[in-house]
Amino acid sequence: MERRQPPQTEEGWYVLHDFRSIDWDAWRNAPERRRERAIEEGREYLSTAESVADADEGDSATFAVLGHKADLLVLHLRPTLGDIDALERRFEHTALAEFTERADSYLSVTEVSGYMSQEYFEEGETADTGIANYIESRLKPEIPDTDFLSFYPMSKRRGPDHNWYELPFDERADYLSNHGEIGKDYAGRVTQIISGSVGLDDYEWGITLFGDDPTDVKELLYEMRFDPSSSRFAEFGRFLSARRMSPADLSAFLAGERVPQDDADSAHGHPHGHGESGDHGHAHGDSDGHHGDDDDVRSELDDMGVYAGQPHGEDVHAVVLYSEADTDDLFEEVDGLRTNFDHYDTHVKTAVYEPRDDDSEAAVVSLWDTERAANTAAGFLADLPEVVRQAGDDEDDSWGTMGMFYTVKPDHRGDFTGVFDDAEALLADMDGHRKTDLLVNREDENDMFIASRWDSREDAMQFFRSDAFSDAVEFGRDVLDDRPRHVFLA
């Protein structure tokens, strides 16, 4: 009998969902001094876990569980099982633990599979940077700062009529790809952490969904029930729902008061992807990347009067993709994604920039406040039609700088494009210069985007130090509504 091909997988952080029930009778009858100690030690434990003081990396969060199944959920992500084990036992040494019983737990590990990107596993270290960054965000996820959480375990069915593991690889991949298309409609509203648990717990995956509106999670799951990947092949465990709370609110929680106390939660999650478990939005990336910490370059540009890297008071991370698709079709796709991106405080801007000639590609530029959000968004943007690499960017040993937010005064738009044409001719003769394009925001003709690529950073800096660049900066003071702002692509 032919053996079916399993997908390759790569694992990241271990995940523990630690559900605790409070012994309310014991709590009410305990002396005040004992309760105060429990609150103090509980806060310290939870705060220390959330600050990841126990490990080099990871994340933790605290939730108030709704319903009878538990009272508290402490969610831990850590690089090793040793880290998870120590966190479990450390809690048992707190005075708070004396008032709790473990209602449930689930152990798993974040994973990505070959269903998401076979190229990633085939190419290894040479895989495209956008794909690698996106997968990294799946293996080492941040816990989204949203109000609502829904957790459930699931497995794939092995019944006589529908057996997932008897399907050919390509058929399984098609099921999951179609399943993930549903999740794209919820990008910006529902974020997920998918973790594998084969051999670790009772089911095959743990699914943790995050959102500010519980009905978004409900609608997503309901819609997915009608997709064959779920209706034919999914088996679910019990669902647990919870609300995010701060360790500082532990006293209010135990006193029966409303939590969180400030009730000022805001979403900082990320659009989501998927794997074999039935992920809620399959996507993978091919982006140019994001800006690095080029503090020395920024400082030198700042000395020249050029604002470098902080257009909104904070560093932004850029995803830039190029497409040969019809710009009308491209804009329609981008506009749909942007509507979902706008649900996040971390989203700064996403726009389509059109070339001035028919021989160049259009650019999609997406700016985010955090690197992880940008990497995750890259996965969705990479599914845009006819995405290609930037011309002149076929090698890994180049260095790029994007001149962003050249907002031109309407009366001087022609002057600005004329000066760019002169600069482009000058650049063509400069050592180390590969390509420079001027593109225009299709929604605002006065918003210009310049993409430039060089053999090295030093080659670019030679231009920045030149008299021609100084003249351009001086000219810009007269024709621009704001000073040039640069984001670097390393």
Side-chain angles (χ1 to χ4, degrees), residues 271 287-291 316-321 334 337-338 341-342 346-353 363-371 373-382 384 402 404-405 449 487 489:
S287 69
D288 272 59
H290 54 271
H291 77 81
V316 294
H317 298 256
V319 178
V320 181
L321 299 97
V334 169
L337 286 174
R338 183 171 58 185
F341 289 166
D342 283 339
T346 50
H347 181 231
V348 176
K349 173 182 181 179
T350 299
V352 175
Y353 288 79
V364 178
V365 178
S366 189
L367 303 182
W368 296 80
D369 283 335
T370 67
E371 178 179 353
N375 289 342
T376 307
F380 283 95
L381 294 168
L384 292 170
M402 296 191 309
M404 300 293 294
F405 301 115
F449 161 66
V487 176
L489 296 183

Short mmCIF file of all heavy atoms in Angstrom, two decimals, residues 271 287-291 316-321 334 337-338 341-342 346-353 363-371 373-382 384 402 404-405 449 487 489:
data_model
loop_
_atom_site.label_atom_id
_atom_site.label_comp_id
_atom_site.label_asym_id
_atom_site.label_seq_id
_atom_site.Cartn_x
_atom_site.Cartn_y
_atom_site.Cartn_z
N PRO A 271 -2.66 40.24 11.07
CA PRO A 271 -3.37 39.36 10.16
C PRO A 271 -2.81 37.96 10.23
O PRO A 271 -1.67 37.76 10.59
CB PRO A 271 -3.11 39.99 8.79
CG PRO A 271 -2.80 41.41 9.08
CD PRO A 271 -2.10 41.40 10.40
N SER A 287 8.37 39.71 0.17
CA SER A 287 8.53 41.16 0.28
C SER A 287 9.99 41.53 0.21
O SER A 287 10.87 40.71 0.46
CB SER A 287 7.95 41.66 1.60
OG SER A 287 8.74 41.21 2.67
N ASP A 288 10.24 42.79 -0.09
CA ASP A 288 11.61 43.29 -0.06
C ASP A 288 12.15 43.33 1.36
O ASP A 288 13.34 43.28 1.57
CB ASP A 288 11.67 44.70 -0.64
CG ASP A 288 11.86 44.67 -2.13
OD1 ASP A 288 11.00 44.09 -2.81
OD2 ASP A 288 12.84 45.22 -2.60
N GLY A 289 11.28 43.53 2.35
CA GLY A 289 11.75 43.52 3.72
C GLY A 289 11.32 44.74 4.47
O GLY A 289 10.32 45.37 4.17
N HIS A 290 12.11 45.11 5.50
CA HIS A 290 11.80 46.23 6.37
C HIS A 290 13.07 46.97 6.70
O HIS A 290 14.17 46.49 6.48
CB HIS A 290 11.13 45.72 7.65
CG HIS A 290 11.94 44.69 8.33
ND1 HIS A 290 11.81 43.35 8.03
CD2 HIS A 290 12.92 44.77 9.26
CE1 HIS A 290 12.66 42.65 8.76
NE2 HIS A 290 13.35 43.49 9.51
N HIS A 291 12.95 48.15 7.29
CA HIS A 291 14.15 48.95 7.53
C HIS A 291 14.93 48.39 8.70
O HIS A 291 14.40 47.82 9.62
CB HIS A 291 13.79 50.41 7.76
CG HIS A 291 13.23 50.69 9.13
ND1 HIS A 291 14.03 50.85 10.23
CD2 HIS A 291 11.96 50.84 9.54
CE1 HIS A 291 13.27 51.10 11.29
NE2 HIS A 291 12.02 51.09 10.90
N VAL A 316 9.11 53.11 11.80
CA VAL A 316 8.12 52.30 11.09
C VAL A 316 8.85 51.22 10.31
O VAL A 316 10.00 51.37 9.94
CB VAL A 316 7.25 53.14 10.13
CG1 VAL A 316 6.38 54.09 10.93
CG2 VAL A 316 8.10 53.88 9.13
N HIS A 317 8.15 50.14 10.08
CA HIS A 317 8.69 49.01 9.35
C HIS A 317 7.94 48.90 8.03
O HIS A 317 6.71 48.93 8.01
CB HIS A 317 8.56 47.73 10.17
CG HIS A 317 9.31 47.79 11.46
ND1 HIS A 317 10.50 47.13 11.67
CD2 HIS A 317 9.05 48.45 12.60
CE1 HIS A 317 10.93 47.37 12.88
NE2 HIS A 317 10.07 48.17 13.47
N ALA A 318 8.69 48.76 6.97
CA ALA A 318 8.09 48.83 5.63
C ALA A 318 8.13 47.48 4.94
O ALA A 318 9.12 46.75 5.01
CB ALA A 318 8.84 49.86 4.79
N VAL A 319 7.03 47.17 4.28
CA VAL A 319 6.95 46.03 3.36
C VAL A 319 6.71 46.62 1.98
O VAL A 319 5.78 47.41 1.79
CB VAL A 319 5.80 45.08 3.73
CG1 VAL A 319 5.73 43.94 2.71
CG2 VAL A 319 5.98 44.54 5.13
N VAL A 320 7.55 46.26 1.02
CA VAL A 320 7.41 46.76 -0.35
C VAL A 320 7.41 45.57 -1.30
O VAL A 320 8.32 44.75 -1.27
CB VAL A 320 8.54 47.72 -0.73
CG1 VAL A 320 8.33 48.24 -2.15
CG2 VAL A 320 8.63 48.88 0.25
N LEU A 321 6.36 45.48 -2.09
CA LEU A 321 6.27 44.44 -3.11
C LEU A 321 6.01 45.11 -4.45
O LEU A 321 5.40 46.18 -4.52
CB LEU A 321 5.15 43.44 -2.81
CG LEU A 321 5.27 42.66 -1.51
CD1 LEU A 321 4.44 43.32 -0.42
CD2 LEU A 321 4.81 41.22 -1.71
N VAL A 334 -5.65 45.41 -2.96
CA VAL A 334 -4.99 46.10 -1.84
C VAL A 334 -6.00 46.83 -0.97
O VAL A 334 -5.90 46.83 0.26
CB VAL A 334 -3.93 47.09 -2.39
CG1 VAL A 334 -3.41 48.00 -1.26
CG2 VAL A 334 -2.77 46.33 -3.02
N LEU A 337 -7.53 44.45 1.50
CA LEU A 337 -6.64 44.15 2.62
C LEU A 337 -6.49 45.35 3.55
O LEU A 337 -6.46 45.20 4.77
CB LEU A 337 -5.26 43.74 2.08
CG LEU A 337 -5.14 42.36 1.44
CD1 LEU A 337 -3.76 42.19 0.83
CD2 LEU A 337 -5.41 41.28 2.46
N ARG A 338 -6.41 46.52 2.97
CA ARG A 338 -6.18 47.73 3.77
C ARG A 338 -7.35 47.98 4.73
O ARG A 338 -7.15 48.43 5.86
CB ARG A 338 -5.99 48.92 2.84
CG ARG A 338 -5.67 50.23 3.55
CD ARG A 338 -5.28 51.28 2.54
NE ARG A 338 -6.32 51.50 1.55
CZ ARG A 338 -6.17 52.31 0.50
NH1 ARG A 338 -5.03 52.93 0.31
NH2 ARG A 338 -7.15 52.48 -0.36
N PHE A 341 -6.52 45.85 7.55
CA PHE A 341 -5.33 46.34 8.25
C PHE A 341 -5.68 47.53 9.15
O PHE A 341 -5.07 47.71 10.21
CB PHE A 341 -4.27 46.78 7.24
CG PHE A 341 -3.61 45.66 6.49
CD1 PHE A 341 -2.84 45.93 5.35
CD2 PHE A 341 -3.76 44.34 6.88
CE1 PHE A 341 -2.22 44.92 4.66
CE2 PHE A 341 -3.14 43.31 6.18
CZ PHE A 341 -2.37 43.60 5.07
N ASP A 342 -6.62 48.35 8.70
CA ASP A 342 -6.94 49.58 9.44
C ASP A 342 -7.56 49.31 10.81
O ASP A 342 -7.69 50.23 11.62
CB ASP A 342 -7.89 50.46 8.62
CG ASP A 342 -7.18 51.21 7.51
OD1 ASP A 342 -5.95 51.36 7.60
OD2 ASP A 342 -7.85 51.65 6.55
N THR A 346 -1.31 49.37 14.92
CA THR A 346 0.05 49.26 14.41
C THR A 346 0.15 49.56 12.90
O THR A 346 1.25 49.70 12.38
CB THR A 346 0.60 47.84 14.65
OG1 THR A 346 -0.35 46.89 14.19
CG2 THR A 346 0.85 47.62 16.14
N HIS A 347 -0.99 49.65 12.22
CA HIS A 347 -0.97 49.93 10.78
C HIS A 347 -0.86 51.43 10.54
O HIS A 347 -1.66 52.21 11.05
CB HIS A 347 -2.25 49.40 10.13
CG HIS A 347 -2.30 49.64 8.65
ND1 HIS A 347 -3.38 50.22 8.02
CD2 HIS A 347 -1.40 49.37 7.68
CE1 HIS A 347 -3.13 50.30 6.73
NE2 HIS A 347 -1.94 49.79 6.49
N VAL A 348 0.15 51.82 9.79
CA VAL A 348 0.37 53.24 9.48
C VAL A 348 -0.22 53.60 8.13
O VAL A 348 -0.98 54.56 8.00
CB VAL A 348 1.88 53.57 9.51
CG1 VAL A 348 2.13 55.02 9.11
CG2 VAL A 348 2.46 53.29 10.90
N LYS A 349 0.09 52.78 7.12
CA LYS A 349 -0.32 53.18 5.77
C LYS A 349 -0.09 52.00 4.82
O LYS A 349 0.89 51.26 4.95
CB LYS A 349 0.53 54.37 5.32
CG LYS A 349 0.34 54.81 3.87
CD LYS A 349 1.28 55.96 3.57
CE LYS A 349 1.13 56.46 2.15
NZ LYS A 349 2.03 57.60 1.86
N THR A 350 -1.00 51.81 3.88
CA THR A 350 -0.79 50.88 2.76
C THR A 350 -1.34 51.54 1.51
O THR A 350 -2.47 52.02 1.50
CB THR A 350 -1.49 49.53 3.00
OG1 THR A 350 -0.95 48.91 4.17
CG2 THR A 350 -1.30 48.60 1.81
N ALA A 351 -0.54 51.58 0.46
CA ALA A 351 -0.94 52.28 -0.76
C ALA A 351 -0.30 51.64 -1.97
O ALA A 351 0.71 50.95 -1.89
CB ALA A 351 -0.56 53.76 -0.67
N VAL A 352 -0.92 51.87 -3.14
CA VAL A 352 -0.38 51.44 -4.42
C VAL A 352 0.25 52.64 -5.11
O VAL A 352 -0.38 53.70 -5.24
CB VAL A 352 -1.48 50.85 -5.32
CG1 VAL A 352 -0.92 50.52 -6.71
CG2 VAL A 352 -2.09 49.60 -4.68
N TYR A 353 1.50 52.47 -5.52
CA TYR A 353 2.22 53.53 -6.23
C TYR A 353 2.46 53.08 -7.67
O TYR A 353 2.98 51.98 -7.91
CB TYR A 353 3.55 53.82 -5.54
CG TYR A 353 3.40 54.55 -4.22
CD1 TYR A 353 3.04 53.87 -3.08
CD2 TYR A 353 3.60 55.93 -4.14
CE1 TYR A 353 2.88 54.52 -1.87
CE2 TYR A 353 3.45 56.59 -2.93
CZ TYR A 353 3.10 55.88 -1.80
OH TYR A 353 2.94 56.53 -0.60
N ALA A 363 4.25 49.46 -7.31
CA ALA A 363 4.72 49.09 -5.98
C ALA A 363 3.56 49.14 -4.99
O ALA A 363 2.70 50.02 -5.08
CB ALA A 363 5.83 50.03 -5.51
N VAL A 364 3.55 48.20 -4.08
CA VAL A 364 2.63 48.23 -2.94
C VAL A 364 3.48 48.47 -1.70
O VAL A 364 4.39 47.69 -1.41
CB VAL A 364 1.85 46.92 -2.80
CG1 VAL A 364 0.93 46.97 -1.58
CG2 VAL A 364 1.04 46.65 -4.06
N VAL A 365 3.20 49.56 -1.02
CA VAL A 365 3.97 49.94 0.16
C VAL A 365 3.06 49.84 1.38
O VAL A 365 1.97 50.42 1.40
CB VAL A 365 4.52 51.38 0.03
CG1 VAL A 365 5.27 51.78 1.30
CG2 VAL A 365 5.42 51.49 -1.19
N SER A 366 3.51 49.10 2.40
CA SER A 366 2.73 48.95 3.62
C SER A 366 3.64 49.26 4.81
O SER A 366 4.69 48.64 4.97
CB SER A 366 2.17 47.53 3.74
OG SER A 366 1.25 47.42 4.80
N LEU A 367 3.24 50.24 5.62
CA LEU A 367 4.04 50.68 6.76
C LEU A 367 3.36 50.29 8.07
O LEU A 367 2.15 50.46 8.23
CB LEU A 367 4.22 52.20 6.73
CG LEU A 367 4.86 52.79 5.47
CD1 LEU A 367 5.01 54.30 5.61
CD2 LEU A 367 6.21 52.16 5.20
N TRP A 368 4.17 49.80 9.01
CA TRP A 368 3.66 49.31 10.29
C TRP A 368 4.56 49.80 11.42
O TRP A 368 5.76 50.02 11.23
CB TRP A 368 3.62 47.78 10.29
CG TRP A 368 2.66 47.23 9.28
CD1 TRP A 368 2.88 47.09 7.94
CD2 TRP A 368 1.32 46.81 9.52
NE1 TRP A 368 1.75 46.59 7.32
CE2 TRP A 368 0.79 46.40 8.27
CE3 TRP A 368 0.53 46.71 10.66
CZ2 TRP A 368 -0.51 45.91 8.15
CZ3 TRP A 368 -0.76 46.22 10.54
CH2 TRP A 368 -1.26 45.83 9.29
N ASP A 369 3.99 49.91 12.60
CA ASP A 369 4.75 50.36 13.76
C ASP A 369 5.66 49.28 14.32
O ASP A 369 6.62 49.60 15.02
CB ASP A 369 3.81 50.83 14.88
CG ASP A 369 3.23 52.21 14.61
OD1 ASP A 369 3.87 52.98 13.88
OD2 ASP A 369 2.13 52.49 15.12
N THR A 370 5.37 48.01 14.07
CA THR A 370 6.19 46.94 14.62
C THR A 370 6.67 46.02 13.51
O THR A 370 6.00 45.82 12.50
CB THR A 370 5.42 46.09 15.65
OG1 THR A 370 4.37 45.37 15.00
CG2 THR A 370 4.81 46.96 16.74
N GLU A 371 7.85 45.46 13.72
CA GLU A 371 8.43 44.57 12.73
C GLU A 371 7.59 43.32 12.55
O GLU A 371 7.39 42.83 11.44
CB GLU A 371 9.85 44.19 13.17
CG GLU A 371 10.55 43.23 12.25
CD GLU A 371 11.96 42.91 12.72
OE1 GLU A 371 12.42 43.55 13.68
OE2 GLU A 371 12.59 42.02 12.13
N ALA A 373 4.38 42.89 12.98
CA ALA A 373 3.17 43.18 12.23
C ALA A 373 3.47 43.30 10.74
O ALA A 373 2.72 42.81 9.90
CB ALA A 373 2.51 44.45 12.75
N ALA A 374 4.59 43.95 10.44
CA ALA A 374 4.98 44.10 9.03
C ALA A 374 5.26 42.74 8.40
O ALA A 374 4.85 42.46 7.27
CB ALA A 374 6.21 45.00 8.91
N ASN A 375 5.96 41.87 9.14
CA ASN A 375 6.28 40.55 8.60
C ASN A 375 5.01 39.74 8.34
O ASN A 375 4.90 39.03 7.34
CB ASN A 375 7.17 39.79 9.59
CG ASN A 375 8.57 40.36 9.65
OD1 ASN A 375 8.99 41.08 8.75
ND2 ASN A 375 9.29 40.06 10.72
N THR A 376 4.05 39.84 9.25
CA THR A 376 2.82 39.08 9.08
C THR A 376 2.00 39.65 7.92
O THR A 376 1.44 38.90 7.12
CB THR A 376 1.99 39.11 10.37
OG1 THR A 376 2.83 38.67 11.45
CG2 THR A 376 0.80 38.18 10.26
N ALA A 377 1.95 40.98 7.82
CA ALA A 377 1.24 41.60 6.70
C ALA A 377 1.86 41.19 5.37
O ALA A 377 1.16 41.04 4.36
CB ALA A 377 1.25 43.12 6.85
N ALA A 378 3.17 40.98 5.37
CA ALA A 378 3.85 40.58 4.13
C ALA A 378 3.28 39.28 3.59
O ALA A 378 3.20 39.09 2.37
CB ALA A 378 5.35 40.44 4.39
N GLY A 379 2.86 38.40 4.50
CA GLY A 379 2.28 37.14 4.03
C GLY A 379 1.02 37.34 3.24
O GLY A 379 0.78 36.65 2.24
N PHE A 380 0.18 38.29 3.66
CA PHE A 380 -1.04 38.57 2.92
C PHE A 380 -0.75 39.32 1.63
O PHE A 380 -1.31 39.03 0.58
CB PHE A 380 -2.00 39.38 3.80
CG PHE A 380 -2.69 38.55 4.84
CD1 PHE A 380 -2.19 38.46 6.12
CD2 PHE A 380 -3.82 37.84 4.52
CE1 PHE A 380 -2.81 37.69 7.08
CE2 PHE A 380 -4.46 37.05 5.47
CZ PHE A 380 -3.95 36.98 6.75
N LEU A 381 0.15 40.29 1.71
CA LEU A 381 0.46 41.09 0.53
C LEU A 381 1.11 40.25 -0.56
O LEU A 381 0.95 40.53 -1.76
CB LEU A 381 1.37 42.25 0.93
CG LEU A 381 0.72 43.28 1.86
CD1 LEU A 381 1.78 44.22 2.43
CD2 LEU A 381 -0.35 44.08 1.12
N ALA A 382 1.84 39.22 -0.16
CA ALA A 382 2.52 38.39 -1.15
C ALA A 382 1.56 37.58 -2.00
O ALA A 382 1.94 37.05 -3.04
CB ALA A 382 3.51 37.46 -0.45
N LEU A 384 -0.93 38.94 -3.47
CA LEU A 384 -1.45 39.85 -4.48
C LEU A 384 -1.08 39.34 -5.87
O LEU A 384 -0.10 38.62 -6.03
CB LEU A 384 -0.90 41.26 -4.25
CG LEU A 384 -1.38 41.97 -2.98
CD1 LEU A 384 -0.58 43.24 -2.75
CD2 LEU A 384 -2.87 42.28 -3.05
N MET A 402 14.49 53.69 0.69
CA MET A 402 13.27 54.21 0.11
C MET A 402 13.07 55.65 0.55
O MET A 402 13.08 55.94 1.74
CB MET A 402 12.06 53.39 0.55
CG MET A 402 12.08 51.97 0.10
SD MET A 402 10.48 51.22 0.40
CE MET A 402 10.24 51.63 2.12
N MET A 404 10.51 57.98 1.25
CA MET A 404 9.08 57.91 1.45
C MET A 404 8.51 59.31 1.72
O MET A 404 9.21 60.21 2.17
CB MET A 404 8.77 57.02 2.66
CG MET A 404 9.26 55.60 2.50
SD MET A 404 8.41 54.68 1.21
CE MET A 404 6.78 54.61 1.90
N PHE A 405 7.20 59.45 1.47
CA PHE A 405 6.47 60.65 1.86
C PHE A 405 7.05 61.93 1.27
O PHE A 405 7.24 62.91 1.97
CB PHE A 405 6.38 60.75 3.38
CG PHE A 405 5.72 59.58 4.03
CD1 PHE A 405 6.43 58.75 4.88
CD2 PHE A 405 4.39 59.29 3.78
CE1 PHE A 405 5.82 57.66 5.47
CE2 PHE A 405 3.77 58.20 4.38
CZ PHE A 405 4.50 57.40 5.22
N PHE A 449 6.84 58.36 -4.25
CA PHE A 449 7.61 57.29 -3.63
C PHE A 449 8.84 57.04 -4.50
O PHE A 449 8.72 56.78 -5.69
CB PHE A 449 6.75 56.04 -3.52
CG PHE A 449 7.52 54.77 -3.32
CD1 PHE A 449 8.24 54.55 -2.17
CD2 PHE A 449 7.48 53.77 -4.27
CE1 PHE A 449 8.93 53.37 -1.99
CE2 PHE A 449 8.17 52.59 -4.10
CZ PHE A 449 8.89 52.39 -2.95
N VAL A 487 12.85 55.62 4.87
CA VAL A 487 12.82 54.33 5.55
C VAL A 487 13.82 53.44 4.84
O VAL A 487 13.84 53.39 3.61
CB VAL A 487 11.42 53.69 5.50
CG1 VAL A 487 11.44 52.30 6.12
CG2 VAL A 487 10.43 54.57 6.22
N LEU A 489 15.65 49.92 3.70
CA LEU A 489 15.47 48.49 3.47
C LEU A 489 16.86 47.86 3.44
O LEU A 489 17.63 48.12 2.54
CB LEU A 489 14.77 48.23 2.14
CG LEU A 489 13.35 48.73 2.00
CD1 LEU A 489 12.79 48.33 0.67
CD2 LEU A 489 12.48 48.22 3.11
#
